[in-house]
Amino acid sequence: MDSVKKLLMGNKAWVMDKLSVHPDFFARQANSQQPEFLWIGCSDSRVPAEDITGTEPGELFVHRNIANLVIHTDFNMLSVLQYAVEVLKVKHIIVCGHYNCGGVKNAMTHLDLGLINKWLRHIKDVYRIHQRELNTIADHQARFDRFVELNVTEQVRNIAETSIVQRAWNKEGRPIVHGWVYDIRTGYLNTIARMEPGFGLDDIYTFDFGPPSPPKTGPSS
Ligand code: CO
């Protein structure tokens, strides 16, 4: 069978499957969503967010890019983040990386890959920050695995450093930010980082959301 036709056939089978369990499955979902989680994951085809967490449509608000990066000038990611935090009011943000990530692997090399160099550059920054630890790991796979974990930890920090998240922390005491790594070799998720509202941020990154100070009056004439 044509590979694209196979997808459309798969869709029909999936609809029948859902309706056989809950005849109103789609009718219930048609008008709104109330996901509790924002998922920021890798685009890798082996890491499907809903499948590996056993979740259904409606449960995860999802953003995926190469190597699950949180970059402060990425308006795609920032728009997803703002909508998730301010409109959907998610309680948890999960940054999920995975072992054997191609983006992280290439960032460990000196290959010139064209446009994607610009994206991988952000992962190289993670290596530079943690080079003392990473360079002590002699085994290549072990160093690669640790680099994947440290990349997730840094993206968790990047999420917490946004004014979007800090404002929600300040006003509503949510969301909790989690860093997970999916082990592509076993199927299991490892929890490796967690930031509770208001804790763990370096001072230089914190925003002051206090009331605006009154306008200064000029010298009286
Ligand atoms: Co990846």
Side-chain angles (χ1 to χ4, degrees), residues 41-47 65-68 96-104 184:
C42 184
S43 298
D44 194 302
S45 61
R46 300 165 295 176
V47 195
N65 61 41
I66 291 174
N68 39 271
C96 185
H98 66 100
Y99 297 119
N100 290 5
C101 180
V104 175
I184 225 153

Side-chain angles (χ1 to χ4, degrees), residues 15-219:
V15 171
M16 298 308 287
D17 184 52
K18 289 291 173 205
L19 292 177
S20 69
V21 181
H22 297 291
D24 62 344
F25 183 82
F26 296 101
R28 274 191 293 136
Q29 296 221 326
N31 294 320
S32 68
Q33 60 169 338
Q34 288 181 303
E36 198 176 317
F37 309 95
L38 166 61
W39 176 276
I40 297 178
C42 184
S43 298
D44 194 302
S45 61
R46 300 165 295 176
V47 195
E50 284 86 356
D51 280 6
I52 66 174
T53 54
T55 46
E56 292 285 336
E59 291 189 77
L60 303 180
F61 196 63
V62 173
H63 176 80
R64 290 169 68 180
N65 61 41
I66 291 174
N68 39 271
L69 297 185
V70 174
I71 295 169
H72 289 270
T73 50
D74 176 2
F75 285 95
N76 185 348
M77 181 281 300
L78 290 170
S79 301
V80 169
L81 179 67
Q82 184 184 12
Y83 190 76
V85 171
E86 295 182 4
V87 180
L88 298 174
K89 298 191 178 296
V90 295
K91 293 179 183 153
H92 302 273
I93 298 174
I94 298 158
V95 178
C96 185
H98 66 100
Y99 297 119
N100 290 5
C101 180
V104 175
K105 186 179 186 178
N106 279 299
M108 290 175 83
T109 73
H110 302 284
L111 293 172
D112 173 9
L113 299 167
L115 175 68
I116 202 171
N117 291 340
K118 318 276 185 251
W119 192 257
L120 300 184
R121 154 71 202 271
H122 296 279
I123 316 175
K124 288 177 184 281
D125 288 344
V126 173
Y127 198 103
R128 178 176 49 76
I129 293 165
H130 296 281
Q131 59 184 322
R132 195 170 296 175
E133 176 185 348
L134 289 168
N135 286 340
T136 62
I137 307 172
D139 179 76
H140 183 270
Q141 183 66 45
R143 188 160 82 249
F144 183 12
D145 286 357
R146 185 61 183 145
F147 191 18
V148 164
E149 293 170 359
L150 291 168
N151 182 49
V152 165
T153 303
E154 289 299 325
Q155 305 321 312
V156 165
R157 283 179 194 275
N158 286 342
I159 284 281
E161 287 163 8
T162 62
S163 54
I164 296 167
V165 164
Q166 287 185 42
R167 202 176 292 111
W169 279 5
N170 194 270
K171 288 185 176 164
E172 298 175 28
R174 61 160 187 93
I176 298 171
V177 188
H178 308 260
W180 294 355
V181 175
Y182 174 69
D183 194 334
I184 225 153
R185 301 159 295 207
T186 65
Y188 286 109
L189 285 162
N190 296 334
T191 57
I192 59 157
R194 178 181 167 111
M195 286 184 78
E196 299 282 341
F199 294 95
L201 264 183
D202 288 316
D203 182 65
I204 191 70
Y205 296 112
T206 59
F207 292 102
D208 181 3
F209 297 109
S213 45
K216 289 193 173 79
T217 50

